[in-house]
Amino acid sequence: MAEEPPPPFLYARMLASGGIANSISSALLNSSDVIKVRLQTQDLRFPRPLGGVRTEPLMYNGFLRTGQRIVAEEGLSGLLLPGLGAAILRDLLYSSIRMGLYPEVKRLISPDTDGDPGLMRKIASGALTGAIGSAIANPTDVVKIRLQAEAGVVGPDGKYVTGLAKGASPTYTSTLRAFGQILRTEGVVHGLYAGVGPTMVRAALLTAGQLASYDHSKYLLKEHGILNEGPLLHIIGSLIAGLVATTVCAPADMIKTRVMSDRAGPAGQRLFSGPIDCAVKLVRVEGLGALFRGWSASYARLAPHFIIALPLYEQIRRLFGLRYM
């Protein structure tokens, strides 16, 4: 029996399904990203000397306590809104490619495979789409992290009275102006594309961990007759994907956040010359555990994000006339 012809605008449907599902999820869960970024970047404001003792205490400690402090000092909007516009724009670019094109890339690299293509090809498909999507969307990631890192309440004198930038004037007045300001003052390479290397590594690890584990766990659960295709299977697969993806990409996520938050000082100097230098200094000064700082915040974001985005993605694909992933 001949296969049904693909629906019109096939690739547009694929891209839109991934972008829409993840944008909705990111908007709903932006608060956990705000907490994660503050936990990961506060050492830039309160540095610890090599081999020494921190002279100034950290502002934030722990996922829940950080969230409580932000709400107490800045209100609920301080937890929900920083970087929201950039986060939505990022997923409309990044996730439309990494998730939307994953099934097609998997099919293209498995032309002679009947049935399941195997775990390794799924990992390769996720790594490829994740790396490409993140490279294209890197400027939106830079703006999102910058806005979330310095967010706070602005006092009558025009300076922050809360947050990591307390005592300083706001660097950016809006999301759109942030793009132009970073481009003018820092350029493309060191500005909008700062941290693109660790971002691509993190996205490749994240997408490979997320989509390959989700896809393969679905296959195994169906193959062994445990569950059939449907919402329950999608939710269980999402939980598995959250654990795998958070752990696999934690070090790259930490390095990416630090490099993107590192701004040039008055003399043009930066804390890190690149991602490798950042990784070495992190481990040397703060210990190996620093690479996994913010893991709980990342999982608190990724697990609910996956539980929302992946089942929603599956339903949007069906709505657009596509098969389940």
Side-chain angles (χ1 to χ4, degrees), residues 255 274-281:
I255 293 167
I276 295 177
D277 179 56
C278 178
V280 170
K281 286 179 178 176

mmCIF file of all heavy atoms in Angstrom, residues 255 274-281:
data_model
loop_
_atom_site.group_PDB
_atom_site.id
_atom_site.type_symbol
_atom_site.label_atom_id
_atom_site.label_comp_id
_atom_site.label_asym_id
_atom_site.label_seq_id
_atom_site.Cartn_x
_atom_site.Cartn_y
_atom_site.Cartn_z
ATOM 1 N N ILE A 255 29.110 26.771 32.061
ATOM 2 C CA ILE A 255 30.151 27.510 31.335
ATOM 3 C C ILE A 255 29.519 28.521 30.383
ATOM 4 O O ILE A 255 29.953 29.673 30.293
ATOM 5 C CB ILE A 255 31.070 26.527 30.576
ATOM 6 C CG1 ILE A 255 31.864 25.686 31.574
ATOM 7 C CG2 ILE A 255 32.013 27.281 29.643
ATOM 8 C CD1 ILE A 255 32.557 24.493 30.957
ATOM 9 N N GLY A 274 37.853 32.581 27.140
ATOM 10 C CA GLY A 274 37.058 31.678 26.321
ATOM 11 C C GLY A 274 36.464 30.581 27.180
ATOM 12 O O GLY A 274 36.685 30.537 28.398
ATOM 13 N N PRO A 275 35.704 29.665 26.573
ATOM 14 C CA PRO A 275 35.046 28.618 27.356
ATOM 15 C C PRO A 275 35.999 27.680 28.083
ATOM 16 O O PRO A 275 35.728 27.264 29.207
ATOM 17 C CB PRO A 275 34.208 27.867 26.312
ATOM 18 C CG PRO A 275 34.722 28.280 24.989
ATOM 19 C CD PRO A 275 35.299 29.639 25.160
ATOM 20 N N ILE A 276 37.130 27.349 27.464
ATOM 21 C CA ILE A 276 38.083 26.451 28.123
ATOM 22 C C ILE A 276 38.704 27.138 29.337
ATOM 23 O O ILE A 276 38.844 26.548 30.410
ATOM 24 C CB ILE A 276 39.171 25.992 27.133
ATOM 25 C CG1 ILE A 276 38.548 25.136 26.024
ATOM 26 C CG2 ILE A 276 40.266 25.203 27.863
ATOM 27 C CD1 ILE A 276 39.516 24.692 24.964
ATOM 28 N N ASP A 277 39.075 28.411 29.158
ATOM 29 C CA ASP A 277 39.619 29.188 30.272
ATOM 30 C C ASP A 277 38.593 29.291 31.398
ATOM 31 O O ASP A 277 38.934 29.189 32.585
ATOM 32 C CB ASP A 277 40.009 30.579 29.776
ATOM 33 C CG ASP A 277 40.573 31.460 30.886
ATOM 34 O OD1 ASP A 277 41.546 31.045 31.522
ATOM 35 O OD2 ASP A 277 40.017 32.553 31.112
ATOM 36 N N CYS A 278 37.332 29.481 31.027
ATOM 37 C CA CYS A 278 36.257 29.554 32.020
ATOM 38 C C CYS A 278 36.145 28.248 32.799
ATOM 39 O O CYS A 278 36.046 28.254 34.034
ATOM 40 C CB CYS A 278 34.934 29.873 31.327
ATOM 41 S SG CYS A 278 33.502 29.929 32.431
ATOM 42 N N ALA A 279 36.179 27.117 32.093
ATOM 43 C CA ALA A 279 36.060 25.812 32.748
ATOM 44 C C ALA A 279 37.221 25.564 33.707
ATOM 45 O O ALA A 279 37.026 25.106 34.843
ATOM 46 C CB ALA A 279 36.001 24.704 31.702
ATOM 47 N N VAL A 280 38.429 25.894 33.271
ATOM 48 C CA VAL A 280 39.613 25.683 34.098
ATOM 49 C C VAL A 280 39.546 26.535 35.366
ATOM 50 O O VAL A 280 39.805 26.062 36.478
ATOM 51 C CB VAL A 280 40.892 26.003 33.302
ATOM 52 C CG1 VAL A 280 42.116 26.015 34.222
ATOM 53 C CG2 VAL A 280 41.092 24.982 32.184
ATOM 54 N N LYS A 281 39.187 27.815 35.205
ATOM 55 C CA LYS A 281 39.119 28.712 36.362
ATOM 56 C C LYS A 281 37.996 28.305 37.317
ATOM 57 O O LYS A 281 38.154 28.398 38.537
ATOM 58 C CB LYS A 281 38.919 30.147 35.892
ATOM 59 C CG LYS A 281 40.171 30.764 35.285
ATOM 60 C CD LYS A 281 39.922 32.191 34.810
ATOM 61 C CE LYS A 281 41.212 32.797 34.257
ATOM 62 N NZ LYS A 281 40.986 34.158 33.706
#
